[in-house]
Amino acid sequence: MDAATTVVPWLGWTVPVTLLCIVITLLYLYGTWTHTTWSSAGVSGPKPLPFLGNIGEINKKGFFHCLQEWGKQYGKMYGIYFMHRPLLMTTDVDILKEVFIKDFADFPDRLNANPLQPYPVNQGLIGVTGDRWRRQRHTLTPTFSTSKLKAMNKFITRCCHNLIAAMRKNTEEGKLLDVKQMYGSFTLDVICGTAFGFETNALGHEDNVFLNNVKAIFAEARVFKVGNIIAAVFPFTIPFFKWLGYSSMPKKEARFITETIRSAIETRRKDGGKGRVDLLQLMLDAEATGSEIAGNPQEKRLTTDEIIGQGFTVFIAGYETTATTLQYLTYLLALNPDKQEKLYREIVDTIGNAEPTYDNVTSIKYLDSCVREALRCFPPAALTSRGALAEKTIKGVKIPAGAGVGVPIIGLMRDEEFFPEPDKFIPERFDDENKDAIPSIVREMVFGAGPRQCIGMRLALYEAKMAVVTVVRQFKFVKVPETPDEITFRPGFALALPLRPVLVGTQLREA
Ligand code: HEM
């Protein structure tokens, strides 16, 4: 046998195997190249998988579950990865103050793990970054001033009356209260009426087209979807996904809401506003073209796409978050009849039978404590974050440029250091005489913190209080066999969406 006959077959399989090994090794290195960021900074955390980081576990068990479990296991600081993006999760108050407030200029945007943010979300406050965010935020902040909120009272009061009528009918028909369905209809009617000046009439109409579309958007609001993951891991695929018209939101429903906003804009343009002072009018008064804005970026202006993006965000955020707050507060009141009775007494003793107004609902101290405690027990958003513009060392931990600092809101709200007996509904912890024991950044963190805190916070609190005053004066909420003892959240969602509808019984108070 000569040398050639032995070498050639050997070469025949070695070359492809060697190439395959090289490709696998390179892929592995690519899929794990950032995954030592936290271990080399001395920060522990759950083991990341190549490419995916920790999102496999999050998708399976859920944000709410993982963020609580990891907090118990690793303490006030631990490192995770959204695909290749390192995220330092922390409930350390000093770090939170530094990142969210003091050094905001170094951490101005939330960490965005989705490079395929769909239109029009990518045009509004939730999606934009840097100077574009600053200009938009400046323009929109006046919408939520006290005088603007007070001006909404008449419309919200009308929605409160419709809420009572719908709840009364439900009770008289002997039905259990599907809490989210009822409050979702209320918050949708409120947000569309107060922000855009059109009526959705969702209350009392279960098959309402606006409600069905917005519900469908949230039913599909898992954070990590296959397309987003592939695009984040392999950025060269982004143009391909765009070419395919990929969207992480259900297309038909997103288009319906976009077109609803567009038609509200058209109607308003035609009627000229007629002295309106709502969000839509404020945005239209600031409308400008992209080139006008580029010529003077400091001015409070918005492009038409930005107005649509803002409208879309407010439409869906205004519906979901406040309905979630009301859902869990009602549930907690049903589970804690003594607290419910105390709240009822406080409302009646403070404002009697008066129509709720901005001034009188904000004067009921125990109401504020109950709303905040419900938000603490079940924060509508599980987490928020900030991305580092440049490398930064905080409390000895090096945070590389592009990495993020996240706050596990659910973990912070269940931290025994700030909230003893965290699993109990104890509104008194937010009473004036007790609340200073909780650092203010922790108290408020359900809405985020610093200049990028939730812009709708004051509207949400006001609207929730109007609804609670209205319903608690008229109904008792009671636990029934169908009421869950514990809430299980839908896995993969960063929002506090329960796996099954929350049902409670209702009794008319005068009955
Ligand atoms: C109980 C109700 C609500 C809760 C718990 C809530 C929670 C949050 C949180 C945690 C953030 C992130 C803040 C941060 O990163 O620091 C946020 C941002 C935001 N929320 Fe809310 N939200 C609520 C109601 C609303 C309402 C009613 C609206 C609209 C009217 C709204 C619109 C927004 C917008 C536009 C942002 C982005 C702000 C920015 O980046 O400048 N939210 N919200």
Side-chain angles (χ1 to χ4, degrees):
M1 204 189 297
D2 63 14
T5 51
T6 52
V7 169
V8 171
W10 180 83
L11 263 181
W13 59 264
T14 313
V15 173
V17 168
T18 309
L19 280 176
L20 189 66
C21 287
I22 292 171
V23 169
I24 289 173
T25 308
L26 286 176
L27 266 176
Y28 179 80
L29 289 175
Y30 179 71
T32 56
W33 64 280
T34 59
H35 289 174
T36 50
T37 307
W38 301 129
S39 53
S40 51
V43 176
S44 55
K47 202 172 156 33
L49 290 174
F51 300 104
L52 296 180
N54 301 100
I55 66 161
E57 199 171 343
I58 292 173
N59 259 351
K60 192 162 153 221
K61 298 182 183 162
F63 274 95
F64 284 81
H65 178 89
C66 287
L67 295 177
Q68 285 184 77
E69 286 310 304
W70 289 336
K72 283 182 197 149
Q73 205 175 337
Y74 302 107
K76 284 192 177 288
M77 200 197 301
Y78 54 92
I80 60 173
Y81 301 86
F82 285 174
M83 284 76 81
H84 59 282
R85 284 294 197 92
L87 190 57
L88 181 74
M89 299 303 290
T90 184
T91 55
D92 181 308
V93 170
D94 297 332
I95 300 182
L96 294 179
K97 281 186 188 159
E98 200 156 332
V99 170
F100 282 79
I101 301 169
K102 198 169 138 277
D103 288 346
F104 176 73
D106 300 325
F107 296 90
D109 305 313
R110 278 178 289 278
L111 184 98
N112 178 14
N114 176 12
L116 294 172
Q117 240 183 15
Y119 177 89
V121 177
N122 61 3
Q123 302 294 312
L125 277 180
I126 296 270
V128 296
T129 56
D131 287 343
R132 195 173 171 202
W133 167 77
R134 215 160 285 116
R135 170 175 53 77
Q136 292 195 4
R137 180 87 190 203
H138 250 90
T139 313
L140 293 163
T141 297
T143 317
F144 301 93
S145 68
T146 305
S147 62
K148 292 268 166 42
L149 294 182
K150 284 184 176 178
M152 295 174 188
N153 184 264
K154 210 166 142 202
F155 188 81
I156 301 182
T157 302
R158 183 138 65 84
C159 294
C160 286
H161 287 201
N162 294 344
L163 175 64
I164 284 297
M167 258 194 202
R168 188 180 278 267
K169 182 165 175 276
N170 199 73
T171 310
E172 285 167 357
E173 285 172 357
K175 290 185 190 158
L176 293 179
L177 179 66
D178 180 335
V179 192
K180 180 67 177 288
Q181 170 77 22
M182 182 65 76
Y183 290 127
S185 310
F186 168 75
T187 55
L188 188 64
D189 284 350
V190 169
I191 200 67
C192 290
T194 54
F196 312 113
F198 68 83
E199 308 227 355
T200 38
N201 271 323
L203 265 169
H205 302 99
E206 282 191 9
D207 231 5
N208 183 277
V209 62
F210 299 97
L211 191 61
N212 286 344
N213 278 285
V214 75
K215 274 165 69 178
I217 299 262
F218 281 100
E220 291 297 320
R222 266 176 304 109
V223 176
F224 301 113
K225 297 188 171 169
V226 178
N228 304 343
I229 299 170
I230 296 174
V233 175
F234 301 108
F236 64 85
T237 61
I238 293 173
F240 176 67
F241 279 107
K242 288 190 174 159
W243 176 77
L244 278 181
Y246 172 86
S247 170
S248 49
M249 276 196 299
K251 279 189 191 167
K252 191 162 83 50
E253 289 79 2
R255 201 175 309 121
F256 174 86
I257 296 176
T258 308
E259 288 314 315
T260 301
I261 306 288
R262 233 189 265 278
S263 103
I265 293 174
E266 281 313 313
T267 311
R268 193 62 68 85
R269 277 195 188 124
K270 275 185 206 137
D271 75 15
K274 290 188 190 141
R276 287 180 188 266
V277 289
D278 57 14
L279 171 76
L280 183 60
Q281 197 54 46
L282 186 128
M283 293 197 295
L284 286 174
D285 290 345
E287 192 174 17
T289 62
S291 46
E292 281 167 343
I293 290 173
N296 192 352
Q298 306 305 327
E299 257 190 54
K300 294 182 177 178
R301 298 289 192 87
L302 297 169
T303 65
T304 309
D305 268 345
E306 289 174 341
I307 294 174
I308 294 169
Q310 235 54 261
F312 190 97
T313 305
V314 165
F315 192 111
I316 64 170
Y319 154 79
E320 169 60 29
T321 49
T322 315
T324 298
T325 309
L326 287 165
Q327 162 178 251
Y328 290 121
L329 177 54
T330 302
Y331 167 70
L332 289 163
L333 291 176
L335 257 44
N336 297 275
D338 53 329
K339 307 289 183 198
Q340 186 177 169
E341 216 39 40
K342 182 172 171 184
L343 175 61
Y344 170 73
R345 283 270 131 243
E346 292 249 356
I347 294 173
V348 173
D349 291 349
T350 316
I351 69 165
N353 281 328
E355 279 284 8
T357 62
Y358 182 87
D359 288 328
N360 71 16
V361 296
T362 46
S363 72
I364 309 168
K365 294 278 189 286
Y366 194 63
L367 172 62
D368 188 62
S369 302
C370 285
V371 173
R372 289 185 188 272
E373 177 68 347
L375 281 163
R376 180 197 71 78
C377 292
F378 296 105
L383 78 164
T384 189
S385 65
R386 296 290 183 268
L389 280 186
E391 184 183 300
K392 186 99 184 165
T393 300
I394 299 183
K395 270 204 165 173
V397 181
K398 193 166 87 180
I399 300 156
V405 176
V407 50
I409 298 178
I410 179 67
L412 185 64
M413 295 302 139
R414 303 280 174 101
D415 188 329
E416 290 189 43
E417 183 193 339
F418 307 116
F419 304 106
E421 300 187 275
D423 295 333
K424 289 197 177 153
F425 178 63
I426 309 177
E428 290 73 10
R429 39 176 133 235
F430 288 101
D431 285 355
D432 281 348
E433 58 275 27
N434 302 326
K435 70 178 186 202
D436 289 341
I438 312 162
S440 60
I441 193 166
V442 175
R443 273 197 322 253
E444 299 259 312
M445 194 49 102
V446 286
F447 291 101
R452 203 150 187 174
Q453 192 182 38
C454 173
I455 198 169
M457 174 174 77
R458 298 178 66 236
L459 168 62
L461 289 173
Y462 167 44
E463 180 188 348
K465 288 176 184 178
M466 290 284 289
V468 175
V469 164
T470 308
V471 296
V472 166
R473 277 196 302 203
Q474 304 228 12
F475 294 93
K476 263 188 197 169
F477 299 111
V478 289
K479 184 176 185 308
V480 291
E482 292 81 354
T483 309
D485 291 318
E486 273 183 29
I487 302 287
T488 311
F489 297 106
R490 295 187 67 181
F493 291 69
L495 300 165
L497 303 176
L499 205 51
R500 276 172 287 282
V502 177
L503 302 173
V504 302
T506 48
Q507 294 169 356
L508 269 164
R509 279 206 177 257
E510 67 263 38

